[in-house]
Amino acid sequence: MELTIADHPLIAHKVTSLRDTETTSHQFRQLVEELVILLTFEATKSLPTEPVSVETPLTSATGVRLAGPAPLIVPILRAGLGMLSGITKLLPDAEVGFLGIKRNEETLEPETYANRLPEDLSGRQIILIDPMLATGGTLNDSLDYAFERGATEAICICLLGAPEGVDAVRKHTESTWPQNKVDVHLAALDEKLNEIGYIVPGLGDAGDRLYGSSGS
Ligand code: URA
């Protein structure tokens, strides 16, 4: 597993606003969208391309376009949905699958309530989006679903991560899927998880901050 932590003043500025309790849901959604665009730019730098020639008004030119098949973006519901509009601005031709995974608040273990991934993911580039990499359980289950369907490469874009979660994903993927490629991109790596599995200093419950506190 390869971990990339963003190092850019724009990202650091927006992450600070995201943490701030004074930030409204409207501003929070806007910041998430902007951060996802900034993170996607770096996270997709190894997407395969193929040569193409086009006619300019003056002459012909050779260039590239993204090679098929189209990447599959997978928001992990519910908070991952808040990242979808940003990433599809940069990858408008990507397909979208959905995973609904919620945390059992007592055991902190992930529970899957929806899986809408295509059956065959061989040869597909998978991009998992979830704002919070906390215990790592949700991301590990999501990677398992993708790799069990034949994918061998996954890019994970998260906003905040805890060291415990990063370690859990590293251990799980290196022991269970040693031949597969997993790139994790974070806007910031925080200090720790607290006793109820929240990232500290964090930003609170990402779903609540995006959508208000009803629902789970
Ligand atoms: N999920 C959240 O929304 N926030 C955290 O801090 C951890 C998990």
Side-chain angles (χ1 to χ4, degrees), residues 3-212:
L3 175 67
T4 304
I5 303 163
D7 179 18
H8 194 289
L10 273 184
I11 294 181
H13 173 92
K14 289 178 193 296
V15 165
T16 307
S17 303
L18 210 57
R19 297 185 191 280
D20 189 346
T21 52
E22 297 288 314
T23 299
T24 63
S25 276
H26 172 70
Q27 292 165 329
F28 193 92
R29 285 195 292 271
Q30 182 67 35
L31 286 163
V32 169
E33 177 169 323
E34 291 164 1
L35 278 164
V36 174
I37 290 173
L38 293 169
L39 291 174
T40 300
F41 185 69
E42 172 71 17
T44 53
K45 72 173 185 215
S46 303
L47 281 188
T49 56
E50 59 192 15
V52 64
S53 58
V54 293
E55 294 302 316
T56 79
L58 305 179
T59 182
S60 54
T62 52
V64 297
R65 66 174 169 218
L66 291 180
L72 181 76
I73 299 170
V74 183
I76 302 171
L77 308 181
R78 79 183 153 134
L81 211 48
M83 299 170 74
L84 187 60
S85 62
I87 192 167
T88 51
K89 286 210 161 83
L90 290 191
L91 294 170
D93 295 327
E95 289 176 20
V96 181
F98 293 93
L99 284 174
I101 303 181
K102 69 186 184 93
R103 185 159 64 162
N104 180 312
E105 295 301 340
E106 276 159 27
T107 63
L108 300 187
E109 292 299 321
E111 292 175 355
T112 301
Y113 60 89
N115 182 340
R116 305 287 295 171
L117 297 183
E119 278 308 314
D120 183 9
L121 293 178
S122 36
R124 297 294 294 272
Q125 187 80 47
I126 310 300
I127 307 180
L128 295 165
I129 50 176
D130 190 0
M132 308 301 270
L133 171 47
T135 63
T138 298
L139 200 51
N140 281 339
D141 283 1
S142 306
L143 288 164
D144 288 347
Y145 292 132
F147 292 156
E148 281 159 7
R149 285 165 171 71
T152 57
E153 293 188 15
I155 297 169
C156 311
I157 303 178
C158 304
L159 300 181
L160 301 186
E164 296 90 330
V166 170
D167 286 349
V169 174
R170 190 188 304 282
K171 278 200 191 101
H172 176 71
T173 52
E174 289 179 1
S175 62
T176 313
W177 307 102
Q179 67 284 45
N180 290 357
K181 183 165 157 34
V182 177
D183 291 330
V184 176
H185 291 261
L186 296 177
L189 181 65
D190 275 11
E191 193 186 318
K192 60 175 183 182
L193 282 185
N194 71 9
E195 60 290 347
I196 53 165
Y198 275 73
I199 297 177
V200 180
L203 50 77
D205 185 297
D208 289 356
R209 300 286 311 267
L210 279 162
Y211 306 120

